[in-house]
Amino acid sequence: MRNKKLSIFLNGLILENPVLVLVLGTCPALAQTGSVIQALGMGIAATIVLICSNVVISLLRKVIPDTVRIPCYIVIIAGFVTVVQLLMHAYLPALYEMMGVYLALIVVNCIILGRAEMFARKNGVLDSALDGAGMGLGFLIALFAMATIREVFGAGSFAGLAIPFLKDYTVPILTQAPGGFLVFGILIAIINKIGVKKGAEKRKEFSCEGCPSATLCGKTSCSELQELTEDIAEKEKEENA
Amino acid sequence: MTKKNIMPVVVLTVICVAVALLLALVNSFTDDVIEEAQQEAIRESLQSVMPSDWVVEEVTLDENTPKSVTKIYKEKNGLGYTVTLSAQGYASKIAMALSIDADGKVIKAEITSEQETHGQGGFDEFMSGLGGKDYDALGDSSLKVSHATLTSNAIKNGIRDALVATGFAEEEGRSREEILGYVSEYVSGEFEDVTPPDAPSVVQKIYREKSSGAFVAYVLTVGQYVPIESEGVAAFDSDGKILGVKLINWVVGGDGAANPTDSFVESFKDKYAAGLTDENMVFVTDVTRSCKNFRDAIKLAMETAASIKTDSDIIGFVSEYINGEFEDITPPDAPSTLKKLYCEKSGKGYVAYVMTLGQYVPIESEGVVAFDSDGKILGVKLINWVVGGAGAANSTDNFVSSFNGKTAEELTDENMVFVTDVTRSCKNFRDAVVAAGEAIPKAPVARIVGITVLAISFIAVVAFIIVKRRKTV
């Protein structure tokens, strides 16, 4: 039981890292990783929204009808994003100015809606909170890694503090869009290479059970995905046995 | 309506209401904090001039706001205003901030940045002397820094603009609406003030209509016998043809009698600046000098208007060679021949606007040059190209073509074709283009090395992946 809770939390950190494995939330991942401070701000804001929205959606999972579940999720997520915005504007105005329009864009971050759809609406409150925390921390770690590389080698500083011996040998393109994509791609490649075996096998299948947006894209129905998920669980049991 | 249809609506509505209530709750305790934080930010930026107990809100600037004013903050309880502005000094822009009380008196004024050539006297003393002064007191001749009259005048004029912008003073001279109203029958629309700072003293204002490019010029000249100012407004189209002229306070004759003359005014119509000659005009009898003064003023205004070029005008000259979105990167220490340097934002290249002297006639020759991102010339356009003693405009295709495809370093005498008998003009222009090419920012070596290393790494990674996949297959 305890292991299951821990695995839910740890899943989002590396195995199913939302940015580097599931390749979700690419827009803020590229736009907010020009500096470490911005990346940390975005990561923390997204984590708070993820945990809160997952908890509330899990609480209301038996109340929200299927036909309006997406609008309800979006209203809940937008509400929490606005709360975070107001709190940041009031108590961290400098960070608020730095994040600009990307703070509001957390509403349409596919990680949050994706986890609400894939996990929170089918699991209990504690599990959903752990999943939100794991995914949020995984998002934060990925952004932090990208921002560190881009700021250190692109601007010769870390969190705004200049690094004396690197300042004159920077590669400015790393702080711009092309450099962002390059760092992003290289990190994905590294994670894929050193990724855990199970995670790597799943992704080779290229079928709907490996896709986090399966139900959203309409290729499978809820019942089919349920069956596929059960099949995978049985296969894992057999392998472990 | 079944329960199945109603439930989704009810649930969604309840969730929306709950979220709205949550946001209202959070807003109730963050609203004041946010307002205080914004006020703190304004106070920090203006702490040197704004009283600490003021609570301000930014006022939207309109087209009547003097151009030097950049921001106006109004104190919410009517205690006064804080204004930031940027005035043209002798050698640089002078950025200032000042606070004005509810009676229109300056509380405190400070210079936030300037690069003037003042050595003598103290600007601190001058600025502190502005405290407690209102619009009328600013005319006090004692308010001056010795050996820096132009600078101190610029500061006083800037502060006067702040008082006009906040309604504590009227703009000197005629208002914009008044001037444009005189010639509204000839031209109307949306106008912008394009009066150059170095306009001749008789040319008070020049406005340009945004869509048609037509101009309205307001001039002030001296009468013939009586040194009283005569005013007038002229409207002319974008090609420089006069649409109409209106005289204001036209003083002619020794007795100072107002006497607008229709035939004198009519003789301006449909003419270009070059056509306003003594032979082509009808002057009022016995007051020819006044009329000629006025005619000369109108001509000067038209020539000044013709020399006004916006950034889009300049870039438009070479739009066949390069287009896109440009930004002004003219270096502050640019050579005197380089008037403007623009960089295309996506890295396509650069555009330079240069001005040089002609060979025999010390009249300026202008030209616009388009460079690619490596500094190679894509094309050159000559404007007002003056060659030869007669001052005749003469653009020569061979001279212009000999620039194409070359970098600044390659523009040597051997590589160029110069117009016969006007080699000096051509060489002056060539030298100006070379100076412009040298002003283009060069990519530091480290960046080029870095980009090259990245590119090679990327290609290596892609090649590795392709080879690995082939082996797996």
Side-chain angles (χ1 to χ4, degrees):
Chain A
M1 176 75 162
R2 204 172 158 189
N3 278 342
K4 194 192 168 205
K5 302 282 182 217
L6 196 60
S7 72
I8 291 173
F9 175 74
L10 292 175
N11 230 18
L13 291 186
I14 302 233
L15 239 188
E16 285 185 25
N17 185 286
V19 178
L20 300 176
V21 174
L22 304 182
V23 197
L24 296 174
T26 312
C27 171
L30 290 166
Q32 296 284 285
T33 50
S35 88
V36 170
I37 303 285
Q38 269 179 300
L40 287 174
M42 171 57 74
I44 292 168
T47 303
I48 293 169
V49 173
L50 246 177
I51 295 170
C52 295
S53 61
N54 266 15
V55 163
V56 171
I57 289 168
S58 178
L59 276 170
L60 297 175
R61 68 186 187 278
K62 289 178 179 152
V63 174
I64 298 175
D66 233 23
T67 46
V68 291
R69 71 177 191 281
I70 299 295
C72 288
Y73 296 167
I74 290 174
V75 168
I76 293 166
I77 293 165
F80 282 117
V81 169
T82 309
V83 167
V84 168
Q85 252 187 302
L86 288 171
L87 291 171
M88 204 180 269
H89 196 180
Y91 300 108
L92 296 167
L95 183 60
Y96 175 81
E97 294 297 330
M98 273 176 80
M99 291 188 65
V101 71
Y102 292 98
L103 190 53
L105 286 179
I106 292 174
V107 176
V108 294
N109 191 326
C110 21
I111 299 171
I112 300 171
L113 193 59
R115 295 321 289 174
E117 175 69 11
M118 287 296 296
F119 198 96
R121 76 180 188 104
K122 288 179 278 191
N123 291 279
V125 175
L126 183 58
D127 288 350
S128 300
L130 285 171
D131 179 73
M135 285 287 163
L137 276 176
F139 182 64
L140 176 64
I141 289 168
L143 258 59
F144 180 74
M146 277 184 70
T148 302
I149 296 168
R150 291 181 72 187
E151 193 181 350
V152 168
F153 297 108
S157 64
F158 179 81
L161 301 167
I163 302 169
F165 51 88
L166 270 181
K167 213 167 164 296
D168 296 324
Y169 299 97
T170 57
V171 183
I173 199 170
L174 285 176
T175 58
Q176 293 161 18
F181 275 103
L182 197 66
V183 170
F184 189 39
I186 290 170
L187 283 175
I188 290 176
I190 292 169
I191 292 294
N192 274 348
K193 185 69 184 168
I194 65 172
V196 180
K197 271 189 192 171
K198 279 184 190 174
E201 280 175 10
K202 273 184 194 170
R203 278 184 302 285
K204 274 185 188 173
E205 289 167 16
F206 293 113
S207 55
C208 289
E209 64 258 31
C211 174
S213 305
T215 52
L216 291 174
C217 80
K219 290 258 166 86
T220 59
S221 67
C222 294
S223 57
E224 284 176 40
L225 185 63
Q226 188 70 27
E227 285 170 18
L228 287 166
T229 313
E230 284 166 3
D231 286 341
I232 291 164
E234 276 176 16
K235 275 186 196 168
E236 284 176 18
K237 273 187 189 168
E238 285 166 11
E239 283 172 9
N240 287 340
Chain B
M1 285 279 256
T2 62
K3 190 181 171 187
K4 199 178 164 188
N5 290 335
I6 296 170
M7 270 311 284
V9 175
V10 169
V11 168
L12 186 56
T13 307
V14 168
I15 288 174
C16 288
V17 169
V19 168
L21 287 172
L22 172 66
L23 291 177
L25 176 66
V26 173
N27 187 60
S28 66
F29 63 79
T30 56
D31 193 32
D32 292 335
V33 182
I34 290 169
E35 172 74 21
E36 181 54 34
Q38 284 173 336
Q39 289 294 324
E40 193 54 42
I42 294 170
R43 248 180 252 127
E44 210 177 296
S45 66
L46 298 168
Q47 61 186 350
S48 53
V49 297
M50 195 170 90
S52 55
D53 58 340
W54 278 19
V55 177
V56 298
E57 57 184 358
E58 194 170 341
V59 173
T60 312
L61 305 181
D62 60 26
E63 57 188 13
N64 293 325
T65 308
K67 279 183 134 180
S68 62
V69 173
T70 51
K71 281 197 193 280
I72 302 174
Y73 298 96
K74 182 179 174 181
E75 208 288 327
K76 285 183 178 176
N77 297 316
L79 295 177
Y81 296 85
T82 299
V83 181
T84 60
L85 53 104
S86 176
Q88 180 59 50
Y90 170 67
S92 68
K93 285 273 187 192
I94 303 172
M96 286 185 280
L98 69 147
S99 287
I100 305 163
D101 68 15
D103 299 322
K105 286 194 170 58
V106 175
I107 300 172
K108 197 174 179 198
E110 269 211 7
I111 297 174
T112 50
S113 78
E114 51 90 10
Q115 286 176 340
E116 298 291 273
T117 56
H118 59 93
Q120 308 240 0
F123 263 98
D124 291 339
E125 197 183 324
F126 174 73
M127 294 307 284
S128 63
L130 290 163
K133 299 276 189 306
D134 58 15
Y135 183 82
D136 295 323
L138 282 178
D140 184 355
S141 59
S142 66
L143 278 176
K144 185 170 72 180
V145 179
S146 60
H147 303 285
T149 311
L150 287 174
T151 304
S152 40
N153 282 349
I155 294 169
K156 274 200 289 181
N157 289 340
I159 292 172
R160 193 169 288 127
D161 283 349
L163 291 166
V164 168
T166 50
F168 290 110
E170 300 273 324
E171 198 174 345
E172 281 177 345
R174 295 194 182 272
S175 70
R176 173 196 170 103
E177 283 70 35
E178 216 180 324
I179 293 167
L180 294 173
Y182 279 113
V183 288
S184 56
E185 65 188 274
Y186 303 119
V187 63
S188 60
E190 217 180 306
F191 286 86
E192 53 178 343
D193 186 342
V194 295
T195 317
D198 54 350
S201 55
V202 292
V203 179
Q204 297 293 301
K205 285 284 185 190
I206 300 177
Y207 300 100
R208 177 158 72 178
E209 205 287 313
K210 286 181 183 175
S211 53
S212 62
F215 292 93
V216 169
Y218 168 52
V219 300
L220 205 68
T221 63
V222 177
Q224 178 164 347
Y225 301 113
V226 184
I228 300 172
E229 286 168 335
S230 301
E231 305 166 70
V233 183
F236 42 99
D237 64 19
S238 54
D239 294 326
K241 188 167 81 171
I242 296 173
L243 301 167
V245 169
K246 274 280 159 69
L247 303 176
I248 313 165
N249 284 346
W250 181 240
V251 179
V252 293
D255 60 1
N259 181 21
T261 54
D262 294 340
S263 26
F264 171 52
V265 167
E266 271 303 302
S267 66
F268 279 95
K269 252 186 164 176
D270 295 333
K271 288 192 177 66
Y272 296 87
L276 297 177
T277 58
D278 290 357
E279 299 75 31
N280 287 349
M281 304 279 303
V282 173
F283 299 124
V284 179
T285 316
D286 293 336
V287 285
T288 317
R289 187 71 260 150
S290 295
C291 294
K292 285 185 178 179
N293 285 350
F294 187 81
R295 182 271 316 267
D296 293 343
I298 295 288
K299 221 175 151 179
L300 259 179
M302 292 172 76
E303 285 163 2
T304 307
S307 70
I308 294 168
K309 285 176 186 57
T310 61
D311 293 343
S312 55
D313 289 339
I314 293 168
I315 293 164
F317 280 111
V318 288
S319 56
E320 65 187 274
Y321 304 116
I322 186 170
N323 51 44
E325 220 176 297
F326 288 84
E327 58 177 338
D328 188 341
I329 59 165
T330 314
D333 55 349
S336 57
T337 52
L338 176 60
K339 299 302 177 189
K340 285 280 189 184
L341 182 64
Y342 305 94
C343 169
E344 203 286 321
K345 286 183 182 176
S346 63
K348 285 182 192 170
Y350 303 87
V351 170
Y353 170 47
V354 300
M355 204 177 266
T356 61
L357 283 181
Q359 178 162 348
Y360 302 113
V361 185
I363 299 172
E364 286 164 332
S365 301
E366 304 165 70
V368 183
V369 188
F371 297 88
D372 68 10
S373 54
D374 297 322
K376 209 176 272 188
I377 296 171
L378 299 167
V380 170
K381 270 280 154 69
L382 301 176
I383 312 163
N384 288 344
W385 181 239
V386 180
V387 294
N394 180 20
S395 64
T396 53
D397 294 340
N398 290 342
F399 171 54
V400 166
S401 305
S402 65
F403 283 94
N404 293 353
K406 294 186 179 71
T407 60
E409 293 79 22
E410 291 166 353
L411 297 176
T412 58
D413 289 358
E414 297 74 34
N415 286 351
M416 304 281 301
V417 172
F418 299 123
V419 180
T420 316
D421 293 337
V422 284
T423 316
R424 188 68 260 154
S425 295
C426 294
K427 284 187 178 179
N428 285 349
F429 188 81
R430 184 271 314 269
D431 294 343
V433 174
V434 168
E438 287 167 359
I440 289 172
K442 305 280 185 294
V445 172
R447 276 191 208 182
I448 296 168
V449 168
I451 291 168
T452 311
V453 165
L454 270 175
I456 293 170
S457 315
F458 178 72
I459 294 166
V461 164
V462 168
F464 173 74
I465 292 167
I466 292 170
V467 167
K468 194 92 199 287
R469 276 184 177 265
R470 281 196 181 156
K471 279 187 184 169
T472 313
V473 168

